[in-house]
């Protein structure tokens, strides 16, 4: 077994270490979500924490890690008699992004359940993680239904597996840690709220601290065991402190004054629901226990707010997480209570974990591209002027609105989402087929129908049904998939009037918000002057696309053909990279192709390339004024798609509802 990197040897990352340690002291806090760029010790810290966790006593031979002092009466391996067991190290179980539902919650042998009435259950990762740590790297890339199952189990402390009336329940209490890079896409606000705490991490920009990180890492790689031995004393002290804090936790008093500060803070920052109040209370209590105190102080409430509230204040994917600390201090001061004023220098010495011998001051995280709010652009007239011919300053996007449904025709098989029809693991049942591999969704009626003609030849004598493997039928289901929505935006001089471009940006921003809600990947291409540019390659980070859109300059001629050819190249690569994800091409232009010889004919030929490949497309016609040339409509016909005006794009428009984009896909069923 490899030697883990010592937790106390991690340089900086104070908030990350504190969030993990508070959950180790009190798992009821609800886990921690770690947001940050790659290479910032997220995984290292999580794996190192396992070595600090106290040993776990378990019932010998129990696959569900029952506590011998208080065994689970509903344990599938039970019943167990209370008594002595064996001790083992706390586990760190990692959930892969591509895991199936059966791998997460466990698999039930449907064949034996139907034929013999036996609950033959193979435990999943939730059972393995019971009384340990469950680590989900890139949790934002995990399928939504798996995240729902995971967070439900974490909230209830139990996992339920139900198949056709046969159910199994087992305890599943664990420290949940998720890590994510915001540039790869955000979690839905409903899922963010289910994590107790969130911390932001970033690589230090201080030279001395970076040198110390490299020095320690090289020393560890050269001699892991020797490096761990050097930090053994610090590790032992921290482990003892966790045990002491756990023992002290039941004695910590959360006074009325602290409760009032918690409630006032959550109200002041307008967080939804009551989960934030409960998490803050548990976190403040854990902070007091960690500091060796039995009273919760105002400083505990403040630190709890910084950990528990930022991710609960996001109203849409374009909002950056964060907390106004001046407002927080004012709220705490206005609601201070008499029982919250003990000596802050009392026992425990504060809530920070030991730092080792590295620098004491944590680095200040710098902004990331994925976290840039859509509104963080210069005012009109204050943007930086570029040197390009005829280029104008960026203008603000208009107010976003709810758009009509745009979907790809046919039946796909892409990643789960909410846009186009697709064969999925979850959704309404549409039929049955023989299972390919492990059976996951039984079609009971089809299975009985397949087994019924063979009962006499199989010697059936009792009431039970004799079922063979060949009789089993997998339910086929239809749901929704996420698509690749590739935006091709006209940024030429004909679109440059500020009021007009503001409306265009508002429309694209609205479509981006719709793409976020429908779990799509997005890409952004712009064309102006003489060429087209891939402003944002296909990504799950919709807020990154919004930030790039806001800073989009305009001016020059209208090379429509260049934009369509660039889109063709991007889609060709994406088809090789992710063949099951069907594309939807959204071209935002007035259709007035200019520049070069025969620009209209060139645009028409480029559009027909997409039609030949069956790319579903829609042209958002931005032409305005009493006299319209209808060039965007002609472009849509060449694409084999649909044209829709800016007004018709609104969901509340009186124009006809756009349900399916015209165009056929080679993968459509």
């Amino acid at each position: 077994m490899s030697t883990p990197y010592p937790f106390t040897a991690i340089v900086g990352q104070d908030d990350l270490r504190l969030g993990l340690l508070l959950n180790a002291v009190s798992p009821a806090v609800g886990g921690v979500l770690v947001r940050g760029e790659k290479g910032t010790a997220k995984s290292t810290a999580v794996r190192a924490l396992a070595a600090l966790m106290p040993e776990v006593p378990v019932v010998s031979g129990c696959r569900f890690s029952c506590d011998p002092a208080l065994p689970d009466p509903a344990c599938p391996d039970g019943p167990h008699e209370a008594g002595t067991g064996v001790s083992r190290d706390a586990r760190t179980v990692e959930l892969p992004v591509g895991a199936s539902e059966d791998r997460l919650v466990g698999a039930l042998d449907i064949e034996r359940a139907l034929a013999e009435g036996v609950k033959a259950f193979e435990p999943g990762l939730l059972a393995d993680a019971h009384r340990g740590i469950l680590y989900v790297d890139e949790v934002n890339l995990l399928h939504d239904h798996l995240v729902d199952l995971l967070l439900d189990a974490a909230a209830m402390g139990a996992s339920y597996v139900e198949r056709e009336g046969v159910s199994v329940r087992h305890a599943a209490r664990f420290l949940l840690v998720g890590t994510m890079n915001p540039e790869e896409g955000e979690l839905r606000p409903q899922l963010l709220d289910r994590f107790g705490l969130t911390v932001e991490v970033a690589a230090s920009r201080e030279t001395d601290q970076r040198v110390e990180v490299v020095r320690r890492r090289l020393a560890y790689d050269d001699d892991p065991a020797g490096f761990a031995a050097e930090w053994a004393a610090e590790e032992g002290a921290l482990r003892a402190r966790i045990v002491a804090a756990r023992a002290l936790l039941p004695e910590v008093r959360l006074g009325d004054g602290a409760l009032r500060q918690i409630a006032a803070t959550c109200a002041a920052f307008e967080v939804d629901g009551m989960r934030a109040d409960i998490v803050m209370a548990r976190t403040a209590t854990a902070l007091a226990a960690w500091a060796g105190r039995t009273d919760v102080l105002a400083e505990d409430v403040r630190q709890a707010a910084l950990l528990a509230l930022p991710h609960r204040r996001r109203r849409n994917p374009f909002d950056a997480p964060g907390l106004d600390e001046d407002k927080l201090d004012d709220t705490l001061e206005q609601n201070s209570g008499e029982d919250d004023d003990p000596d802050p220098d009392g026992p425990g010495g504060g809530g920070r974990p030991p730092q080792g011998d590295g620098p004491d001051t944590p680095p200040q995280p710098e902004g990331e591209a994925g976290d840039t709010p859509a509104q963080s652009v210069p005012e009109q007239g204050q943007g930086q002027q570029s040197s390009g011919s005829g280029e104008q300053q960026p203008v603000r996007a208009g107010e976003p609105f709810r758009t009509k449904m745009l979907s790809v025709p046919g039946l796909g098989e892409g990643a789960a989402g909410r846009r186009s029809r697709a064969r999925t693991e979850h959704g309404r049942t549409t039929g049955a087929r023989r299972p390919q591999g492990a059976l996951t969704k039984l079609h009971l009626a089809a299975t009985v129908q397949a087994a019924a003609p063979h009962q006499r030849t199989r010697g059936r004598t009792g009431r039970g049904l004799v079922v063979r493997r060949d009789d089993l039928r997998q339910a086929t289901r239809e749901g929704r998939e996420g698509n690749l929505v590739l935006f091709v935006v006209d940024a030429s001089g004909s679109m440059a009037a500020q009021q007009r471009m503001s409306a265009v940006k508002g429309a694209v921003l609205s479509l981006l918000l719709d793409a976020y809600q429908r779990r799509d990947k997005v890409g952004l291409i712009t064309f102006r002057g003489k060429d087209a540019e891939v402003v944002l390659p296909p990504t799950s980070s919709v807020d990154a696309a919004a930030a790039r859109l806001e800073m989009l300059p305009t001016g020059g001629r209208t090379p429509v053909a260049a934009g369509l050819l660039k889109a063709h190249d991007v889609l060709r690569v994406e088809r090789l990279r992710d063949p099951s994800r069907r594309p939807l091409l959204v071209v935002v232009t007035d259709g007035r192709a200019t520049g070069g010889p025969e620009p209209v004919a060139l645009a028409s030929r480029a559009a027909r390339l997409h039609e030949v490949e069956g790319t579903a497309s829609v042209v958002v016609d931005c032409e305005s004024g009493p006299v319209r040339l209808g060039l965007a409509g002609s472009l849509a016909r060449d694409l084999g798609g649909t044209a829709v005006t800016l007004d018709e794009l609104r969901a509340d428009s009186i124009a006809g509802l756009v349900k399916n984009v015209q165009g056929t896909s080679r993968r459509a069923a």
Side-chain angles (χ1 to χ4, degrees):
M1 181 177 178
S2 60
T3 303
Y5 191 90
F7 190 87
T8 49
I10 296 173
V11 179
Q13 308 296 15
D14 284 11
D15 286 341
L16 168 61
R17 295 186 295 127
L18 180 60
L20 292 173
L21 289 170
L22 291 178
N23 275 275
V25 171
S26 176
V29 166
V32 58
L33 175 65
V34 185
R35 296 163 44 92
E37 59 198 24
K38 54 186 177 294
T40 49
K42 300 189 295 292
S43 301
T44 299
V46 175
R47 296 187 179 101
L49 180 66
L52 298 176
M53 302 287 283
E55 287 191 338
V56 179
V58 298
V59 173
S60 180
C62 178
R63 298 174 298 168
F64 301 88
S65 303
C66 281
D67 186 346
L70 191 64
D72 181 6
C75 176
D77 284 356
H80 305 299
E81 293 184 2
T84 59
V86 296
S87 294
R88 61 163 176 77
D89 293 336
R91 292 173 177 163
T92 297
V93 177
E94 295 191 30
L95 175 61
V97 170
S100 65
E101 181 179 337
D102 284 349
R103 185 71 185 99
L104 176 63
V105 301
L108 194 63
D109 191 331
I110 298 296
E111 184 177 355
R112 293 189 63 190
L114 290 177
E116 306 173 31
V118 175
K119 294 181 181 179
F121 182 68
E122 183 66 29
L125 294 176
L126 292 180
D128 293 341
H130 180 46
R131 305 175 69 199
I133 300 172
L134 182 59
Y135 172 46
V136 189
D137 193 15
E138 307 291 355
V139 65
N140 52 324
L141 303 182
L142 200 64
H143 285 176
D144 283 353
H145 73 281
L146 292 183
V147 178
D148 287 330
L149 290 171
L150 179 66
L151 295 177
D152 284 343
M156 296 186 296
S159 175
Y160 295 85
V161 182
E162 299 190 7
R163 299 282 171 80
E164 305 298 338
V166 181
S167 64
V168 173
R169 173 210 169 274
H170 65 82
R173 293 183 295 275
F174 44 81
L175 193 168
L176 175 62
V177 183
T179 60
M180 59 175 283
N181 184 345
E183 293 182 356
E184 296 174 340
E186 286 287 355
L187 277 172
R188 289 185 285 127
Q190 298 91 329
L191 300 180
L192 281 172
D193 184 54
R194 299 295 292 275
F195 281 94
L197 311 179
T198 184
V199 295
E200 297 279 343
V201 296
S204 173
R205 301 300 188 258
E206 296 180 6
T207 301
D208 291 343
Q209 198 167 63
R210 295 176 75 97
V211 167
E212 186 61 23
V213 170
V214 175
R215 181 181 292 120
R216 294 186 187 184
R217 184 68 207 193
L218 292 177
Y220 170 77
D221 291 340
D222 289 341
D223 183 9
F227 184 81
E230 293 178 11
W231 291 87
E234 287 84 350
E235 293 283 286
L238 190 55
R239 188 181 298 109
R241 187 175 177 184
I242 293 174
V243 173
R246 281 187 171 187
L248 183 62
L249 187 65
E251 302 176 21
V252 176
R253 185 178 71 91
L254 184 66
D256 289 343
L259 273 174
R260 180 170 293 278
Q261 286 183 318
I262 290 170
T265 300
C266 292
F269 285 100
E270 300 179 347
V271 296
D272 296 331
M274 295 298 297
R275 185 175 283 117
D277 303 63
I278 297 170
V279 170
M280 273 191 65
R282 290 171 175 167
T283 305
T285 303
L287 279 163
W290 178 249
R293 291 185 267 99
T294 56
D295 286 299
V296 174
L297 307 182
E299 66 190 57
D300 299 323
V301 176
R302 186 182 191 279
Q303 183 65 60
L306 292 175
L307 293 171
L309 295 189
H311 61 299
R312 293 185 164 88
R313 298 195 63 245
R314 289 175 62 94
R315 291 295 183 266
N316 65 63
F318 311 138
D319 292 338
L323 215 60
D324 185 339
E325 295 194 29
D326 291 336
K327 180 179 179 180
L328 173 61
D329 291 335
D330 291 343
T331 302
L332 293 176
E333 184 177 353
Q334 292 170 10
N335 293 274
S336 60
E338 294 182 359
D339 63 341
D340 293 324
D341 295 325
D343 182 7
D345 297 324
R352 292 290 183 182
Q355 181 73 12
D357 60 3
D360 291 331
T361 304
Q364 294 298 321
E366 296 187 3
E368 297 175 17
D371 292 329
T372 304
Q375 293 78 13
S376 59
V377 297
E379 294 287 347
Q380 293 184 16
Q382 296 180 0
Q384 185 176 1
Q385 190 79 276
S386 299
S387 59
S389 174
E391 183 173 305
Q392 300 186 22
Q393 299 169 2
V395 298
R396 287 183 179 274
E399 191 68 23
F401 51 85
R402 189 167 63 91
T403 65
K404 290 178 179 176
M405 175 68 168
L406 303 176
S407 62
V408 179
L411 195 63
E413 295 182 346
R418 298 181 178 181
R419 183 172 297 279
S420 305
R421 294 173 54 226
R423 300 184 186 92
T424 60
E425 288 294 319
H426 300 269
R428 64 184 182 90
T429 300
T430 58
R433 60 175 173 80
R434 291 182 181 272
Q436 299 172 352
L439 178 71
T440 55
K441 299 293 181 182
L442 178 74
H443 194 296
L444 183 58
T447 298
V448 172
Q449 186 177 11
H454 308 291
Q455 296 306 295
R456 181 172 298 179
T457 59
R458 292 174 182 174
R460 173 188 173 191
T461 57
R463 299 178 60 185
L465 189 68
V466 182
V467 180
R468 299 286 187 262
R469 175 69 185 174
D470 289 343
D471 301 330
L472 299 179
R473 295 294 183 269
Q474 174 88 18
T476 57
R477 301 192 174 192
E478 182 179 312
R480 293 278 172 177
E481 67 177 0
N483 298 109
L484 166 59
V485 183
L486 183 60
F487 294 93
V488 181
V489 180
D490 184 348
S492 64
S494 64
M495 303 280 288
Q498 287 192 356
Q499 185 175 3
R500 185 178 182 190
M501 197 61 197
S502 177
V504 170
K505 284 187 175 182
V508 178
L509 197 64
S510 303
L511 289 167
L512 284 171
L513 182 58
D514 181 69
Y516 167 79
Q517 294 168 341
R518 301 190 187 282
R519 314 303 290 167
D520 295 317
K521 289 179 68 175
V522 297
L524 180 61
I525 295 173
T526 63
F527 59 91
R528 64 188 181 90
K530 297 180 180 180
D531 204 357
E533 177 187 4
V534 180
V535 177
L536 185 71
T539 176
S540 297
S541 182
V542 176
D543 46 350
R548 305 287 175 87
L549 176 71
E550 282 287 352
M551 299 305 298
L552 180 66
T554 57
R557 296 188 176 184
T558 313
V560 176
L564 295 176
L565 290 174
K566 184 71 72 173
H568 183 267
D569 291 340
V570 170
L571 293 180
R572 177 177 53 81
V573 173
E574 286 301 309
R575 285 189 179 101
L576 296 174
R577 182 177 298 164
D578 190 359
S580 64
R581 188 181 289 268
R582 297 187 295 165
L584 172 60
L585 182 66
V586 179
V587 183
V588 184
T589 181
D590 57 10
R592 298 182 182 182
T594 60
E598 300 182 344
V600 176
L602 282 174
S604 178
R605 287 199 292 270
R608 291 195 182 98
L609 288 175
H610 292 280
E611 181 190 25
V612 168
E613 296 202 348
T615 303
S617 58
V618 60
V619 176
V620 179
D621 185 358
C622 303
E623 193 173 25
S624 60
V627 179
R628 303 197 179 196
L629 302 179
L631 296 175
S634 298
L635 182 64
R637 287 190 291 275
D638 290 332
L639 285 166
T642 301
V644 54
T645 66
L646 288 175
D647 289 337
E648 292 171 343
L649 191 62
R650 293 178 178 270
D652 54 359
S653 170
I654 60 174
L657 182 66
V658 180
K659 288 187 176 179
N660 282 297
V661 178
Q662 293 178 13
T664 58
S665 173
R666 290 183 175 180
R667 288 186 298 277

